[in-house]
Amino acid sequence: MTNPQDPQDIPDSQDVPGAGDAPGGTAPVAPPPGCPAHAGPAHAGPALLYGADYLRNPTESYQRMRKEHGQVAPVLLESDIPAWLVLGYREVRQVVTDTQTYGRDSRRWNRWDEVPSDWSLLPWVEHGPMIYLTEGDEHRRRSAAVSDALSAIDPFELRNHCERFADWLIDKFAGSGKADLVHDYVYSVPALAMGQMFGLPEEKLEYMAEALTVSLLSTDESMAAKERAAGVVEELVAAKRESPGADVTSRFIHNAPDLTDEQLIGDLMVMMATGLPATSYWIGNTVRLMLTDDRFAVTLAGGRRSIGEAMNEVLWADSPLQNVIGRFATRDTTLGGQHIRAGDLLVLGLAAANADPLLWPDSTAGYAGNNAYVSFTGGDYGCPAGAPELGKIISETAIEVLLDRVPDLTLAVEPEELQWADSLWYRCLVSLPVTFTPAPVTD
């Protein structure tokens, strides 16, 4: 099989119909009048980035948007709030690296007067003390403190903890011959690992996992869930100020002495909110792939060789993190042939960018050996250094232990019966029912 086209080999913007200007500000080359690149925007209205049609098959929705609008599409978020969805791989890379043209401070947004007070996406868009809404030197300083705190985690120790957590959870359902892996396992292993890393009290782990997860779903409970999670982190910061330990929270407080408690809470919330759900869904989406794709059947029979391949394929084809809100244009500009006004909101379509046809000129190409996906975003606002590696350790260990303990896992429903959560941000299953031969409980 051929590998996907290397990012630097994608045609330059002047060779791609509708491609936008370069980060340095070079003027775009517009398609000539009558070019098909003009046809979509002239006749197609904004696409809905919510609702049953979108959620039923996001991939199909992205393909339709790309056909109608090109690499950047006008969309409507919930409550019909206008935004731009960046679908192109090159365009996503351009936005995340050009911090001069695409800022992160949500106060720049020119649509605030249209946002209802109960908007379900508000918890992670409204301006606050969180690191991902900062810019310039302040962002770099706080980002360095986050990376430094995470770098002290011993990967071997983390793996040992995850193996212990996984065995303990499997013991709870191993003898029954059936389980719902989403509720019994997929959330719980990362939650326990995250609690261990951040020094959360054991009795708060399940509560925190639920609050963070709900805060990222498109429901009326999002804001209240975020506030519940913030309350837990506030208690944690107070406890670690009084009695520091060998955990990420204590190290972060020590590394960022100039931050207020509100800023510390905000940054810790971001670390947990990005790490916990994404890792859980990485596990769930990988197990689903291995249960529904014959290529990975050998792994379910006891081998481990294909686990890494399945995890990598999920990041390309079924990314746990689908979209990111967002960036806000600091000036009028052009991107993907679209005229972007100062203050416009851009949603980064990570899943769509990973499937960009320009990146995959050979539709039969496999994903093996290619790690150029944008599933962890990139640039100054990408995942902190070391975070993806920690997520991989947790996910890989959870899957390995599960398949070692119950190698004959079988999906209890037809694949098309599986339901996906209502979330703009994440691609995650509501449940993953399985059956298997009852297994012995570990000593």
Side-chain angles (χ1 to χ4, degrees), residues 190-260:
L192 292 167
M194 201 72 64
Q196 179 79 29
M197 289 190 293
F198 283 85
L200 276 167
E202 186 173 335
E203 65 273 12
K204 294 288 187 179
L205 294 181
E206 185 175 348
Y207 180 88
M208 188 64 174
E210 182 273 339
L212 285 174
T213 300
V214 173
S215 75
L216 292 162
L217 299 177
S218 302
T219 70
D220 296 338
E221 300 297 320
S222 300
M223 182 62 78
K226 181 187 175 186
E227 291 173 355
R228 292 199 303 273
V232 173
V233 179
E234 182 177 9
E235 294 174 2
L236 178 64
V237 168
K240 294 303 177 181
R241 278 199 184 282
E242 174 130 358
S243 180
D247 52 72
V248 170
T249 303
S250 298
R251 287 193 292 269
F252 184 56
I253 291 172
H254 180 267
N255 293 342
D258 57 328
L259 295 186
T260 65

Side-chain angles (χ1 to χ4, degrees), residues 49 54 77 121 216 218 322-323 325 347 422-426:
L49 210 58
Y54 167 71
L77 303 174
L121 301 180
L216 292 162
S218 302
Q322 294 273 299
N323 300 295
I325 292 183
V347 178
D422 182 0
S423 175
L424 168 64
W425 323 90
Y426 289 104

